[in-house]
Amino acid sequence: MKPNRSEHILICLSGAPSNARVIRVAADMASALQAPMTALYVDHKPMDPASRLRLQDHLKLAESLNARIVTVHGENLAVQLVEYAKLSGVSKIVLGQSGRTTGFTLRRKSLADEVMLLAPHLQLYIIPNTPDANEEAEETHWRFHWQDAAKAIGILALTTLVTQIFDRAGFSDANIIMVYLLAVMLTAMVTNGRFYGTAVSLISVVLFNYLYTEPRFTLRAYDADYPVTFLVMFVVSFLAGTLTMQVKSQAKLAATKAYHTQVLLETSQKLQQADSEKEILIETARQLEKLLRCAVLIYPIRKGELSPPLYVRQLQSSEVPDRFLSDHEKAAVAWVFTHNHQAGATTQQFPQARCLYRSVRNHDRIFAIFGLALESRAILDLLEKDLLTAIFSEAAMALEKEDLNRLNTQITITSQQEQLRANLLRSISHDLRTPLTSISGNADFLLNNSEEMDYDKHLAFYRDIYEDAMWLNNLVENLLFITRIENDTMQLNLQPELLSDIVEEALSYVQRRNSNHYIEVDLGEELLMARMESRLIIQVVINLLDNALKYTPAGSHINIRAFRENSWIHLVISDDGPGIDDGTKAHLFELFHTGPKLSADGRRGLGLGLALSKSIITAHGGTIEVRDRIPHGVIFEFSLPAEEVTYHGEERESIGY
Amino acid sequence: MEKKGKVLVIEDDKAIRNLMAATLESRGYSYVFAETGQEALLKITGAAPDLIILDLGLPDLDGIEIIRRVRTWSKIPIIVVSARSNDKDKVMALDEGADDYLTKPFSVEELLARIRVAWRRIQDTLHSYETTESSFCNGPLEIDYLSRAVKVEGVEIHLTPIEYKLLTLLAKNIGKVLTHNYILKEVWQNYLPNDTPSLRVFMATLRKKIEPAAQATKMIQTHVGVGYRMIRREEDEMNP
């Protein structure tokens, strides 16, 4: 069933009893047209508890009928409605409408009339209300509260006391009227609804008439001006009261709006700072906890599967208490996961659950399910629900962005790995062939022509075969280590090792092939011990020595030196060869970078050795660098974390040199 | 040593078998081949070899398993052949009772040297003079077990108790690679895994004492990631 894109139905939510009917009619219409439905609540005036309860019911009803719930704040219902309709591409508005204009207000026109006037192009559907329903609504509007009544009476009594004093002091009537006006404004400020303000206005006029007009203590007035005075006084006080009330409700609205904005702004900021999926989820949970003052559970959804929950309480993540892990709770979570709709406390699905479960989602996937541990708190008010929705959509946006980022990084990494693999294959197929050709060619030649050659020539062939084979062997070792790093299985088996052992082992390997370089070793008197995986570090030393042998002419000196600096062991391998130019140095540790063809046999390496060495040293937490030797030559230096040389099992003093 | 012994080569690769055959033949050893683990087990009992060269990567049976089975009834020297990057295999093989190991690729000289060392060990255990005698002599090194005195080139050197224990342990197993775990178990009776750095340090200081810098004579060989071995200074090397 494809949604109808051209139609969009808007209804206006209210606390009026007739609203439910409007919602149902609109929902029928929406399903008939296959159009989306939005239920708009304009928070434009304070509401009495009964209406608020009804509003909650209507909200649930609208939600259960698949309406999108939106709340806006504003003084004028019609203007907000029309503005929203214009912005959201609403095609039809469904409104409830009674036979007469509503109530005791200054507004003369009905809501429908106003909407029609503001947006003549919109299709307006009016659902007539039954008069009793309307009466009921008005009745609640005029509900009586003892507290407010007491306040009103108190204010009147105080005012009368003050006016009595004024009267005794001989102040004019004007002042007394002013004081009564003040009383009306005060009443409007401290009480709810229009009733008390209006009542106090009326009583003030009567009191003024009774107490301060001649003849006093009667409801008559001699002066012909007085009826006019009374009328003006009543109208002014009534207007003042109404205005005060409006200012008050506006202030309240503004405060609500500011709070709303502030919470969302903070959420948005925090979410932007978060840079991993988990951080976003936890930050969202913190904001929700701040807003609702309840613990929050997070069920992240990874690869389309529900993950074990995280729990945030007092802004810290901690262990999930068992009471949130009951089968009932889990069933509610599973329901939310499969139906992509809220469930749990305060909803019709799983109302016994301790938490209200809602999903964070965008149009095509769910990112996580949040459990709000409402527990004792039975309901969420409209503002909270509204903020909840806003926070969830913020979180969804942040998660979507994060997801995209991750996807991009993944794509980059994958393409880099592809590139690497392609390079590796190309290099292997190209560069391995050279020594293999040499080995097979030499062997073939010896097989066929050995009788005609003298012993010295034989020896040269044998040596070449041997050297090529050893070169290949080292290459295979490097390749093995490279695959270990590439496969991300670089779990180092760190052991404290003596540097002298490592250097000795590497030398024993390199020496076999070295006949014409001078290698000097100076590891100092102190025992140098570092944490390392010996095989890997030996390979690094072999690679560095190999390069030094390969890229320096015969007769060059290669020097191996080691020393300790604070908690680091440094190994320095230098040669007095021709050195490396700066351009080459910059890319020396990159994979597949090969030096200029300077080696004696004219063979290039695969460009694996130094890249691998760098990876190995980095994995050990150390650094590797190359620099010029003065006057000529190259210095390679790497560092490894030092291990304290300990003597266990014997007192230190007995160790003498 | 006029009579050369019989070597059983357990190796599945033909080229390496050929290489071994040529090497052994050139030095007058007789040899038998086994290509699989099963065949090897049969030949160990049937052909009665004096020494076994075992490639750990066999197609049908784990080389370690062969060592384990042989060690239940025989002390015949076993030299293990394995790849360079596989320290774990070597240590396991040594701990199971192998005498020595060779790293691929190995040189012919290396192979022969190992066979010689292992051969000497058979002779020594046959005559068993070293373990019962009250003194030990290897090149410039002399140990008098009774007076616990150690001399290098006739000069007595001072060793700490642990160094002395280490040295005698290596001396009694001369030519054999002792793994870190084995040494730790023998010298520090109740050892902890974090004693390994201590062992490295003790070995280093011991080597400094018994291998005078002026002499390029190496007495103890470090096998990084595996263990240590005392090298036998051959008579001919000492008196050229």
Side-chain angles (χ1 to χ4, degrees):
Chain A
M1 213 163 78
K2 254 191 161 173
N4 190 337
R5 292 275 169 224
S6 60
E7 297 287 358
H8 185 174
I9 293 172
L10 181 72
I11 53 166
C12 183
L13 284 177
S14 75
S18 58
N19 196 236
R21 201 167 147 234
V22 176
I23 296 169
R24 286 210 178 81
V25 172
D28 287 347
M29 212 156 105
S31 71
L33 289 169
Q34 296 176 20
M37 175 164 112
T38 303
L40 183 76
Y41 171 67
V42 182
D43 193 6
H44 68 296
K45 58 182 181 187
M47 210 182 268
D48 59 86
S51 298
R52 201 182 300 273
L53 272 178
R54 266 199 303 276
L55 181 64
Q56 295 282 356
D57 290 340
H58 297 158
L59 214 69
K60 273 188 199 167
L61 178 67
E63 260 179 356
S64 68
L65 294 169
N66 289 326
R68 203 160 74 93
I69 313 287
V70 177
T71 308
V72 293
H73 302 273
E75 185 62 20
N76 192 322
L77 191 59
V79 171
Q80 295 295 335
L81 207 58
V82 170
E83 280 300 310
Y84 182 83
K86 277 183 189 164
L87 286 173
S88 319
V90 166
S91 59
K92 293 178 165 61
I93 300 183
V94 182
L95 287 177
Q97 175 70 60
S98 58
R100 57 184 182 83
T101 54
T102 48
F104 200 1
T105 62
L106 288 179
R107 203 186 288 133
R108 291 280 176 259
K109 283 187 287 285
S110 75
L111 178 62
D113 291 340
E114 275 188 82
V115 170
M116 255 187 296
L117 211 66
L118 286 164
H121 59 280
L122 280 172
Q123 295 177 34
L124 205 60
Y125 294 81
I126 301 189
I127 313 300
N129 288 352
T130 49
D132 340 339
N134 215 22
E135 282 308 322
E136 201 189 320
E138 292 305 317
E139 206 177 289
T140 55
H141 199 82
W142 291 97
R143 242 164 106 170
F144 191 73
H145 285 280
W146 283 111
Q147 259 184 341
D148 285 349
K151 280 182 200 164
I153 291 166
I155 289 170
L156 270 176
L158 201 71
T159 314
T160 309
L161 193 71
V162 173
T163 48
Q164 281 292 322
I165 296 165
F166 279 18
D167 191 42
R168 297 274 158 82
F171 287 9
S172 73
D173 287 356
N175 282 327
I176 292 168
I177 292 171
M178 284 302 190
V179 174
Y180 275 111
L181 281 181
L182 192 69
V184 173
M185 284 175 83
L186 267 175
T187 312
M189 270 167 75
V190 297
T191 60
N192 290 314
R194 290 197 174 82
F195 174 77
Y196 302 102
T198 314
V200 170
S201 311
L202 210 64
I203 295 169
S204 298
V205 173
V206 172
L207 276 176
F208 178 66
N209 184 358
Y210 188 71
L211 295 174
Y212 304 114
T213 56
E214 295 297 339
R216 296 200 173 199
F217 309 113
T218 64
L219 288 177
R220 283 177 298 142
Y222 290 150
D223 208 320
D225 294 351
Y226 274 128
V228 181
T229 312
F230 295 153
L231 186 69
V232 171
M233 185 178 164
F234 175 70
V235 170
V236 168
S237 65
F238 177 74
L239 280 180
T242 310
L243 283 173
T244 311
M245 217 181 67
Q246 276 181 9
V247 166
K248 199 177 83 176
S249 72
Q250 264 170 8
K252 204 173 158 187
L253 274 179
T256 315
K257 212 167 159 180
Y259 176 65
H260 193 145
T261 316
Q262 189 208 333
V263 169
L264 284 183
L265 198 69
E266 196 185 322
T267 309
S268 166
Q269 273 174 349
K270 287 272 166 64
L271 290 184
Q272 264 168 24
Q273 284 161 9
D275 53 5
S276 74
E277 187 207 356
K278 198 180 165 191
E279 252 182 73
I280 291 172
L281 291 176
I282 299 237
E283 202 44 67
T284 309
R286 283 193 191 132
Q287 293 300 322
L288 290 173
E289 195 200 337
K290 262 192 236 169
L291 179 71
L292 302 174
R293 287 169 301 283
C294 70
V296 180
L297 279 110
I298 312 162
Y299 285 87
I301 289 164
R302 299 201 177 96
K303 296 183 185 115
E305 300 267 339
L306 270 174
S307 302
L310 306 163
Y311 183 70
V312 173
R313 166 123 212 123
Q314 270 145 19
L315 307 183
Q316 300 293 323
S317 48
S318 54
E319 282 286 301
V320 188
D322 285 339
R323 65 177 189 280
F324 295 123
L325 294 174
S326 68
D327 290 342
H328 193 67
E329 302 288 324
K330 279 180 182 161
V333 176
W335 194 88
V336 173
F337 182 50
T338 44
H339 291 77
N340 204 359
H341 203 278
Q342 66 174 4
T346 76
T347 66
Q348 278 145 20
Q349 300 293 336
F350 302 93
Q352 303 302 314
R354 287 174 186 276
C355 298
L356 166 65
Y357 294 100
R358 284 187 66 158
S359 55
V360 172
R361 61 181 199 247
N362 65 3
H363 54 279
D364 56 16
R365 62 170 284 213
I366 309 184
F367 293 102
I369 291 170
F370 276 80
L372 307 166
L374 298 175
E375 302 202 75
S376 53
R377 301 190 49 190
I379 48 162
L380 293 173
D381 69 28
L382 201 69
L383 174 70
E384 286 174 332
K385 271 196 177 173
D386 196 42
L387 277 174
L388 218 59
T389 309
I391 289 176
F392 277 138
S393 76
E394 279 282 344
M397 253 155 66
L399 286 166
E400 197 174 0
K401 209 177 87 193
E402 177 64 27
D403 211 39
L404 275 176
N405 279 346
R406 213 174 39 209
L407 203 69
N408 277 338
T409 330
Q410 195 68 46
I411 289 169
T412 319
I413 289 173
T414 316
S415 73
Q416 272 175 354
Q417 280 176 340
E418 290 292 317
Q419 186 67 35
L420 203 74
R421 204 155 292 139
N423 278 344
L424 197 63
L425 277 176
R426 189 165 43 75
S427 305
I428 288 172
S429 57
H430 174 262
D431 289 357
L432 280 190
R433 260 187 212 135
T434 322
L436 281 174
T437 310
S438 152
I439 292 172
S440 61
N442 284 337
D444 187 38
F445 190 86
L446 286 169
L447 277 173
N448 295 318
N449 308 297
S450 60
E451 289 102 40
E452 297 136 42
M453 283 194 302
D454 55 36
Y455 180 66
D456 280 355
K457 277 218 175 117
H458 268 240
L459 270 189
F461 275 99
Y462 296 145
R463 195 173 297 122
D464 282 351
I465 291 175
Y466 178 72
E467 275 180 10
D468 279 326
M470 292 313 280
W471 186 87
L472 275 178
N473 181 57
N474 193 39
L475 189 95
V476 169
E477 291 292 332
N478 275 338
L479 276 176
L480 278 178
F481 290 130
I482 287 262
T483 39
R484 228 181 108 184
I485 292 172
E486 288 301 301
N487 289 343
D488 227 15
T489 49
M490 192 73 162
Q491 281 186 349
L492 296 176
N493 174 24
L494 293 176
Q495 289 280 335
E497 300 280 356
L498 282 171
L499 214 60
S500 52
D501 290 343
I502 301 300
V503 171
E504 200 178 311
E505 178 93 6
L507 273 175
S508 74
Y509 181 81
V510 174
Q511 288 286 20
R512 287 191 223 163
R513 280 171 292 158
N514 170 42
S515 47
N516 40 26
H517 286 76
Y518 302 100
I519 302 181
E520 302 146 9
V521 183
D522 172 22
L523 299 180
E525 277 301 299
E526 196 193 347
L527 285 177
L528 299 175
M529 203 182 256
R531 288 190 77 77
M532 64 177 92
E533 180 166 339
S534 52
R535 276 291 143 223
L536 294 174
I537 300 302
I538 290 170
Q539 191 64 33
V540 171
V541 179
I542 289 174
N543 285 341
L544 293 178
L545 287 173
D546 229 27
N547 276 344
L549 289 173
K550 196 154 64 175
Y551 292 108
T552 57
S556 299
H557 294 77
I558 297 167
N559 182 279
I560 306 172
R561 199 162 58 85
F563 59 93
R564 181 183 173 143
E565 195 180 69
N566 302 324
S567 56
W568 295 93
I569 303 282
H570 295 257
L571 190 86
V572 186
I573 296 176
S574 56
D575 65 58
D576 57 357
I580 305 174
D581 66 80
D582 288 347
T584 312
K585 246 184 286 176
H587 302 285
L588 209 54
F589 293 107
E590 286 170 16
L591 205 49
F592 305 116
H593 178 88
T594 50
K597 289 194 179 184
L598 282 178
S599 57
D601 55 2
R603 178 171 306 141
R604 299 187 308 140
L606 271 186
L608 292 179
L610 284 176
L612 174 69
S613 303
K614 190 184 167 85
S615 307
I616 290 173
I617 297 297
T618 312
H620 279 81
T623 54
I624 185 166
E625 58 174 37
V626 59
R627 56 179 188 268
D628 288 325
R629 182 179 169 274
I630 309 294
H632 56 91
V634 194
I635 301 173
F636 282 96
E637 177 169 348
F638 68 80
S639 59
L640 290 170
E643 171 82 12
E644 287 307 318
V645 174
T646 50
Y647 299 83
H648 180 87
E650 213 166 56
E651 318 80 69
R652 216 194 148 122
E653 301 84 72
S654 61
I655 311 283
Y657 286 98
Chain B
M1 289 195 300
E2 284 308 305
K3 186 199 165 280
K4 297 270 187 170
K6 194 198 273 177
V7 180
L8 171 63
V9 179
I10 309 169
E11 167 67 64
D12 58 327
D13 186 81
K14 187 164 161 274
I16 295 182
R17 275 206 310 274
N18 285 345
L19 174 69
M20 296 237 186
T23 312
L24 293 169
E25 215 166 295
S26 72
R27 300 296 156 108
Y29 292 100
S30 59
Y31 55 86
V32 199
F33 285 133
E35 292 178 35
T36 63
Q38 293 303 338
E39 192 186 343
L41 287 172
L42 283 176
K43 290 202 169 153
I44 292 166
T45 44
D50 301 301
L51 191 144
I52 296 172
I53 297 174
L54 169 67
D55 188 325
L56 284 180
L58 286 176
D60 59 334
L61 224 108
D62 190 0
I64 305 280
E65 186 55 35
I66 295 181
I67 301 172
R68 211 173 280 149
R69 290 201 201 167
V70 170
R71 279 291 170 261
T72 55
W73 55 273
S74 169
K75 282 189 170 177
I76 178 171
I78 301 175
I79 298 173
V80 162
V81 180
S82 106
R84 172 143 71 102
S85 1
N86 232 335
D87 284 345
K88 234 187 235 164
D89 277 3
K90 290 173 205 158
V91 173
M92 216 198 261
L94 292 169
D95 279 338
E96 287 297 335
D99 293 78
D100 205 346
Y101 68 88
L102 266 174
T103 299
K104 276 183 187 172
F106 51 85
S107 73
V108 171
E109 284 310 312
E110 230 176 301
L111 173 65
L112 287 170
R114 301 299 165 87
I115 293 174
R116 260 201 315 275
V117 168
W119 194 254
R120 266 299 287 274
R121 278 180 55 75
I122 318 174
Q123 307 304 316
D124 291 350
T125 33
L126 278 179
H127 303 128
S128 62
Y129 62 89
E130 241 158 13
T131 40
T132 47
E133 264 184 26
S134 60
S135 68
F136 167 90
C137 186
N138 180 24
L141 178 71
E142 286 170 62
I143 307 173
D144 186 342
Y145 292 124
L146 292 178
S147 63
R148 296 170 79 98
V150 177
K151 282 184 187 167
V152 176
E153 291 177 322
V155 181
E156 186 162 346
I157 53 164
H158 170 72
L159 292 183
T160 67
I162 283 193
E163 285 166 355
Y164 179 77
K165 266 194 191 169
L166 279 174
L167 184 64
T168 52
L169 184 69
L170 286 165
K172 281 173 180 163
N173 293 282
I174 184 166
K176 192 176 180 201
V177 178
L178 305 180
T179 62
H180 294 139
N181 278 350
Y182 178 78
I183 299 172
L184 285 170
K185 230 184 300 182
E186 292 291 314
V187 177
W188 285 263
Q189 262 77 22
N190 21 14
Y191 77 101
L192 303 160
N194 59 10
D195 280 334
T196 327
S198 311
L199 175 60
R200 306 261 199 294
V201 175
F202 279 116
M203 266 319 172
T205 51
L206 176 63
R207 284 184 60 179
K208 276 193 179 172
K209 288 180 185 179
I210 66 168
E211 294 172 1
Q215 302 269 328
T217 47
K218 226 174 167 190
M219 299 299 304
I220 297 171
Q221 207 176 31
T222 306
H223 294 248
V224 178
V226 179
Y228 299 91
R229 176 221 315 260
M230 181 175 281
I231 304 167
R232 176 178 296 283
R233 310 307 309 182
E234 304 283 346
E235 305 298 321
D236 47 21
E237 278 177 285
M238 289 313 298
N239 309 306

